[in-house]
Amino acid sequence: MDGVPEPHTGWTFLTNHARVLAAIADNHNARIRDIAAHCRLTERAVQKIIADLEQDGYLSHTREGRTNTYRIDPGKVLRHPAESGLAVASLLSLLARDEADRTGSDSDQDDERHHAPA
């Protein structure tokens, strides 16, 4: 993935803002380059998203040398009226649980989950 991430076509369930926030929740010292690679976004897009999140109080950072350490406000309520009253911490706990499931080593469990009858 040298430089520019592969483009994605079609719709997705999560916004890029949610993806970036989840990546930061996973590593509070993540570099923009690493967040961009993880989220399959450009570094410029990640910088803009971080600025948006900081402007609205979801995220703040402190600079230590060349490293940023991010802090997420877990009590901040999600913006959309349909999620009225739902805090960022709830969203991130759901995404963290999913990420743990996806990176787990038990492939049989993954097969059962993906092939379970509806």
Side-chain angles (χ1 to χ4, degrees), residues 3 9 12 20 47 51 57 62 64 67 77 84 98 101 105 111 115-117:
T9 58
T12 64
V20 168
Q47 288 173 330
T62 56
E64 298 172 21
T67 304
V77 176
S84 172
D98 179 61
D101 288 346
S105 60
D111 288 342
H115 299 294

Side-chain angles (χ1 to χ4, degrees), residues 30-105:
R31 297 178 308 167
I32 288 178
R33 173 179 297 164
D34 298 331
I35 296 167
H38 178 77
C39 297
R40 301 182 72 165
L41 299 168
T42 64
E43 290 179 35
R44 187 176 184 134
V46 171
Q47 288 173 330
K48 172 138 180 26
I49 289 168
I50 287 173
D52 289 346
L53 293 170
E54 285 187 316
Q55 181 178 350
D56 287 345
Y58 290 91
L59 186 66
S60 61
H61 77 276
T62 56
R63 187 122 175 117
E64 298 172 21
R66 294 176 52 177
T67 304
N68 283 327
T69 301
Y70 296 98
R71 183 189 170 285
I72 296 169
D73 181 351
K76 188 83 171 164
V77 176
L78 299 179
R79 293 170 39 113
H80 196 281
E83 287 91 36
S84 172
L86 184 64
V88 167
S90 298
L91 172 66
L92 293 176
S93 69
L94 175 67
L95 294 175
R97 219 177 13 250
D98 179 61
E99 181 68 21
D101 288 346
R102 287 191 294 142
T103 59
S105 60

Side-chain angles (χ1 to χ4, degrees), residues 14-26:
L14 297 177
T15 67
N16 289 335
H17 284 65
R19 284 188 190 93
V20 168
L21 198 62
I24 290 171
D26 188 45

